[in-house]
Amino acid sequence: MNDITARILSQMITDADFVSGEALCREFGITRSAVWKHISLLRSEGYSIDAVTGRGYRLSALTGRPVEAEVRPSLTTRRFGRKIAYHSVTASTNILAKALAVEGAVEGCVVVADSQTGGRGRMGRTWLSPSGVNLYFSLILRPGVPSIRVPQLTLLVAAAIHQALSALSVDFAAMIKWPNDILANGKKLCGVLCEMQSEPDCTHFVVVGIGINVNQSAFQPPLHESATSLFFETGQLSSRPELLASVLNYFEPLYDSWLLEDDLGFILPYLETHSLLQSKAVTVDQLKRSVSGTVRGISRFGELELESAEGEIILVSSGEAHLRSCPSSYNP
Ligand code: BTN
């Protein structure tokens, strides 16, 4: 969508009432036939627009796609999501966001896609990304902290997503699974993949990639055993633009506090209250070893605190945690 089309759309979303063709001509310095072309383009993209002689144009239905014009009315942030690059299809929003960050994109820019052909998950896994139903987006951050602190961001964003999901429905109990998943009824609803470019003392940028299963109504086997969506959990369709805005609205103040506070201490009570693993017996698989114990908490640096059978406290900084009493389908 070109710039003027997008601005006409934004104006119609903001006004909610009829806007005259003449006013649009004046506002954007274009002819009446150009206005008509932009309106036709918007209609071809799925927007319902009433045209009434003597009154002008009025938007009667949005598309529900997470495009900037539909996200912006729900945003309360200062920086996050103020620039959103939307793609109907791309390989991976993380790849695009990293390229933008290398080119100098400012903190807060978001890349969002309606579908991904090569969505990436942790540990080299793929993230299935069908079109029209879910959220796939990547946020560019420039935290200016030593790279050793960056892994804490995964838990911080998990808290923000959890807050946004919890605000949707009181009947809906999502849990945070250290370090980067949100689960509901033991099935995965959302994943986070943070990637960074850094030197030891300086983080150039972090790309926070978020996938949320929103309105997906079916999962192919074997995924149906381990994955769920908001639609499955609540029985209701959710607005993707509003949910995207809500995650950013919750995340920005948490991120600002984290920059000031130096660690996760301020959000630990929230993380522990909503932690799926709290007080549970788990095994954490790491690249070269596995560690087992009972989860006693999360450290202010984001490590999982495990108590071994011998009563020793072990701090685990990375890995894939599995509940020991649960079948493997609980560990998507
Ligand atoms: C995981 O749980 O393994 C992390 C999944 C992260 C998926 C998101 S979708 C948007 C962004 N783009 C990607 O390619 N991956 C992340």
Side-chain angles (χ1 to χ4, degrees):
M1 188 185 296
N2 73 40
D3 189 44
I4 293 185
T5 316
R7 284 164 60 201
I8 290 176
L9 173 61
S10 288
Q11 174 141 350
M12 287 199 291
I13 290 175
T14 312
D15 284 359
D17 200 1
F18 279 95
V19 51
S20 74
E22 204 181 311
L24 291 173
C25 290
R26 264 200 317 275
E27 174 86 21
F28 298 104
I30 54 177
T31 63
R32 277 202 172 246
S33 82
V35 167
W36 180 248
K37 278 187 191 144
H38 290 295
I39 296 291
S40 303
L41 196 71
L42 288 171
R43 282 178 171 154
S44 73
E45 294 207 1
Y47 292 95
S48 294
I49 298 172
D50 304 328
V52 175
T53 313
R55 300 192 72 186
Y57 304 102
R58 183 179 62 183
L59 191 64
S60 53
L62 296 166
T63 64
R65 287 193 290 259
V67 295
E68 188 174 83
E70 297 193 32
V71 175
R72 194 183 301 125
S74 305
L75 273 182
T76 56
T77 57
R78 279 190 303 117
R79 314 185 310 288
F80 290 8
R82 291 292 152 188
K83 181 89 201 91
I84 296 180
Y86 171 84
H87 298 263
S88 59
V89 57
T90 187
S92 156
T93 56
N94 266 31
I95 294 177
L96 284 182
K98 279 192 280 183
L100 282 181
V102 167
E103 285 165 17
V106 296
E107 178 162 275
C109 285
V110 168
V111 178
V112 59
D114 192 50
S115 67
Q116 298 183 119
T117 52
R120 291 143 55 115
R122 285 175 81 227
M123 316 257 180
R125 288 190 290 249
T126 53
W127 186 261
L128 289 179
S129 311
S131 73
V133 283
N134 297 329
L135 273 174
Y136 320 108
F137 64 101
S138 303
L139 169 69
I140 296 171
L141 298 178
R142 297 189 180 276
V145 299
S147 54
I148 194 160
R149 276 188 64 195
V150 169
Q152 296 172 23
L153 277 171
T154 304
L155 277 168
L156 198 65
V157 76
I161 297 165
H162 187 275
Q163 291 173 346
L165 295 176
S166 304
L168 283 178
S169 163
V170 280
D171 303 330
F172 170 65
M175 299 298 279
I176 298 169
K177 179 169 173 266
W178 180 94
N180 77 318
D181 292 342
I182 308 279
L183 275 71
N185 287 317
K187 293 184 174 183
K188 186 153 166 170
L189 185 62
C190 165
V192 177
L193 177 66
C194 290
E195 299 184 85
M196 69 172 158
Q197 192 181 85
S198 67
E199 293 163 44
D201 292 342
C202 163
T203 305
H204 299 303
F205 64 80
V206 181
V207 163
V208 181
I210 299 171
I212 307 177
N213 296 330
V214 183
N215 294 324
Q216 192 163 343
S217 59
F219 292 91
Q220 296 297 315
L223 214 56
H224 69 298
E225 289 182 349
S226 59
T228 189
S229 68
L230 273 174
F231 178 70
F232 267 115
E233 299 304 321
T234 64
Q236 284 166 7
L237 293 173
S238 301
S239 157
R240 290 184 292 157
E242 282 175 25
L243 182 57
L244 170 48
S246 180
V247 170
L248 299 175
N249 292 342
Y250 279 106
F251 187 35
E252 189 179 88
L254 290 184
Y255 175 73
D256 287 342
S257 301
W258 177 77
L259 289 176
L260 285 174
E261 300 276 333
D262 255 18
D263 60 42
L264 293 170
F266 71 101
I267 192 76
L268 279 187
Y270 188 91
L271 287 171
E272 291 182 348
T273 302
H274 300 287
S275 165
L276 180 79
L277 306 180
Q278 189 69 16
S279 306
K280 304 268 172 44
V282 304
T283 297
V284 182
D285 293 332
Q286 299 181 307
L287 276 184
K288 291 191 175 148
R289 62 169 195 159
S290 290
V291 200
S292 293
T294 302
V295 175
R296 293 299 174 217
I298 295 170
S299 81
R300 60 198 177 94
F301 304 114
E303 299 137 321
L304 196 64
E305 293 174 341
L306 289 187
E307 184 179 343
S308 71
E310 294 74 35
E312 185 195 356
I313 294 291
I314 309 163
L315 296 177
V316 185
S317 56
S318 65
E320 191 84 347
H322 305 277
L323 287 175
R324 273 196 275 150
S325 53
C326 288
S328 58
S329 63
Y330 278 61
N331 303 297

